[in-house]
Amino acid sequence: MDGIRLETFARGLTDNLEAPVRKHLKNVYATFTLATICASVGSYVHLFSSLLGSGLLTSLGALACLITLFMTPFDGKNQKTRLSLLGGFAFLTGLNMGPLLEISIAVNPQLIMQAFLGTSLVFACFSLAALFAPRG
């Protein structure tokens, strides 16, 4: 047994899944990444600038983005609108997480990075398990 090689790993991902499933997974992971980046930027803005802060207006704005996103049906033409609403919701949610992050930084500054890495590791393990699970 030669071990795991990168070529074998990549070929296993492409051979194991049909083209529409690969395209769907790519879109799902890209959307997840976009929302994570927007929430991170919102948290950063709250923690390290005085431009925006958490409060009632940002909570209502996040709720408005979420309701508008749910009320906007997908028709193929409004994908940018729906992604913008998701990004706005994630950004405002990140802003609203600012006070919680301030408290966790006061308790242990490494806590946020540990939580991020742990969540990313669990998400990656679940994703790989779903990709390599036998069909049937």
Side-chain angles (χ1 to χ4, degrees), residues 30-31 34-35 38-39 61-62 64-66 68-70 72 74 77-93:
T31 305
L34 171 82
C38 289
C65 285
L66 186 64
T68 307
L69 179 62
F70 284 145
T72 307
F74 178 73
K77 297 177 184 176
N78 60 357
Q79 184 176 1
K80 290 182 182 178
T81 303
R82 290 174 56 88
L83 281 175
S84 299
L85 288 168
L86 177 67
F89 171 73
F91 177 79
L92 293 171
T93 302

Side-chain angles (χ1 to χ4, degrees), residues 62-119:
L63 187 62
C65 285
L66 186 64
I67 290 172
T68 307
L69 179 62
F70 284 145
M71 299 298 284
T72 307
F74 178 73
D75 62 4
K77 297 177 184 176
N78 60 357
Q79 184 176 1
K80 290 182 182 178
T81 303
R82 290 174 56 88
L83 281 175
S84 299
L85 288 168
L86 177 67
F89 171 73
F91 177 79
L92 293 171
T93 302
L95 273 174
N96 289 328
M97 282 181 20
L100 180 63
L101 293 175
E102 287 175 347
I103 293 170
S104 64
I105 288 172
V107 171
N108 183 1
Q110 297 176 351
L111 190 64
I112 295 171
M113 189 55 69
Q114 290 172 354
F116 175 72
L117 290 176
T119 304

Side-chain angles (χ1 to χ4, degrees), residues 5-88:
R5 285 191 247 146
L6 188 58
E7 300 89 28
T8 308
F9 178 74
R11 190 173 56 245
L13 287 177
T14 57
D15 292 344
N16 199 16
L17 300 172
E18 298 83 20
V21 175
R22 284 195 310 263
K23 182 179 177 187
H24 177 72
L25 285 175
K26 180 190 74 158
N27 290 339
V28 167
Y29 289 135
T31 305
F32 178 72
T33 303
L34 171 82
T36 304
I37 289 171
C38 289
S40 299
V41 169
S43 298
Y44 182 85
V45 167
H46 177 85
L47 290 174
F48 298 110
S49 75
S50 59
L51 294 175
L52 293 170
S54 64
L56 181 63
L57 287 180
T58 55
S59 299
L60 292 176
L63 187 62
C65 285
L66 186 64
I67 290 172
T68 307
L69 179 62
F70 284 145
M71 299 298 284
T72 307
F74 178 73
D75 62 4
K77 297 177 184 176
N78 60 357
Q79 184 176 1
K80 290 182 182 178
T81 303
R82 290 174 56 88
L83 281 175
S84 299
L85 288 168
L86 177 67

